[in-house]
Amino acid sequence: DAGVIQSPRHEVTEMGQEVTLRCKPISGHNSLFWYRQTMMRGLELLIYFNNNVPIDDSGMPEDRFSAKMPNASFSTLKIQPSEPRDSAVYFCASSFRTNTDTQYFGPGTRLTVL
Amino acid sequence: LAKTTQPISMDSYEGQEVNITCSHNNIATNDYITWYQQFPSQGPRFIIQGYKTKVTNEVASLFIPADRKSSTLSLPRVSLSDTAVYYCLVGDGVKFNKFYFGSGTKLNVKP
């Protein structure tokens, strides 16, 4: 398996633009996680899906952020409109079942909002 | 909610054993303790997981006392390539779907 795949790897955009980050989890994994990492706040869990259903999105910072998982092999994290404070590395991870299972992280998307 | 506390950083020398302790006073009965390693510009990578007592694999050992309010990750004979950030993760037993990475410990291995 190729592991968790994220795209793009780097994204530079201007404030106010819409940004869409994409993730393909490992085949057969039922749980998918979106994280954000910054120097100031460390690694934060944004949202967690189980069997394509959002289970907990309390980590999503505000309404500008939304995440979807239309099927077992694809998820998106959208920011609209983007702001400079959204600049961070966004990681997607997947696991076989629950949060106690090993999570496999993707390479991350480095987002810069100018 | 079961949050964790770790030292911000540690220094070591090649060949030494390194022990990183994580405090999780509010750990719940069903929570597991998991440690991850993160290199710069990469996502975290699973190292080891345990529930109680001691767990050992090919890269590390995990020691968990009876009260489970802390855990210690032990890295035997570290090398320069072990320089990374190490995270302690505890599953949240109240909202079992949600959990927190700790602040992470930056381990710097010197030659």
Side-chain angles (χ1 to χ4, degrees), chain B residues 62-89:
Chain B
L62 179 60
F63 298 92
I64 305 169
D67 67 5
R68 305 201 323 125
K69 293 184 182 298
S70 67
S71 59
T72 299
L73 174 71
S74 181
L75 305 172
R77 298 179 298 281
V78 294
S79 64
L80 295 177
S81 62
D82 292 317
T83 294
V85 178
Y86 292 82
Y87 292 95
C88 170
L89 176 66

Side-chain angles (χ1 to χ4, degrees), chain A residues 23 32 49 51-54 67-77:
Chain A
C23 175
L32 183 139
F49 291 87
N51 292 322
N52 312 335
V53 176
K68 294 182 180 179
M69 192 165 186
N71 56 62
S73 59
F74 184 66
S75 177
T76 59
L77 178 67

Side-chain angles (χ1 to χ4, degrees), chain A residues 1 3-5 23-29 31-32 69 71-75 92-95:
Chain A
D1 201 310
V4 175
I5 299 173
C23 175
K24 176 179 170 54
I26 293 173
S27 178
H29 281 190
S31 296
L32 183 139
M69 192 165 186
N71 56 62
S73 59
F74 184 66
S75 177
C92 175
S94 70
S95 68

Side-chain angles (χ1 to χ4, degrees), chain B residues 3-4 6 11-13 16 19-20 36 38 44 47 54 59-60 62 71 84 87-88 90 100 104:
Chain B
K3 293 192 177 182
T4 61
Q6 302 174 235
D11 289 332
S12 182
Y13 290 93
Q16 288 187 333
N19 295 308
I20 306 174
Y36 284 80
Q38 186 178 25
I47 300 177
K54 177 183 175 182
V59 298
L62 179 60
S71 59
Y87 292 95
C88 170
V90 175
Y100 300 92

Side-chain angles (χ1 to χ4, degrees), chain B residues 2-104:
Chain B
K3 293 192 177 182
T4 61
T5 303
Q6 302 174 235
I8 294 175
S9 64
M10 294 181 67
D11 289 332
S12 182
Y13 290 93
E14 281 191 294
Q16 288 187 333
E17 177 184 77
V18 171
N19 295 308
I20 306 174
T21 297
C22 177
S23 175
H24 27 80
N25 291 318
N26 295 327
I27 190 169
T29 302
N30 295 327
D31 286 346
Y32 280 75
I33 301 156
T34 311
W35 285 79
Y36 284 80
Q37 174 192 58
Q38 186 178 25
F39 297 113
S41 301
Q42 295 185 23
R45 184 180 68 172
F46 172 87
I47 300 177
I48 196 166
Q49 183 181 74
Y51 182 81
K52 61 180 179 180
T53 64
K54 177 183 175 182
V55 178
T56 297
N57 62 22
E58 63 276 9
V59 298
S61 294
L62 179 60
F63 298 92
I64 305 169
D67 67 5
R68 305 201 323 125
K69 293 184 182 298
S70 67
S71 59
T72 299
L73 174 71
S74 181
L75 305 172
R77 298 179 298 281
V78 294
S79 64
L80 295 177
S81 62
D82 292 317
T83 294
V85 178
Y86 292 82
Y87 292 95
C88 170
L89 176 66
V90 175
D92 189 330
V94 177
K95 291 174 111 176
F96 95 101
N97 301 319
K98 188 166 184 175
F99 52 93
Y100 300 92
F101 273 73
S103 56

Side-chain angles (χ1 to χ4, degrees), chain A residues 77-93:
Chain A
L77 178 67
K78 184 178 294 185
I79 308 173
Q80 166 63 21
S82 59
E83 297 182 2
R85 60 192 169 124
D86 301 330
S87 297
V89 180
Y90 291 81
F91 289 104
C92 175

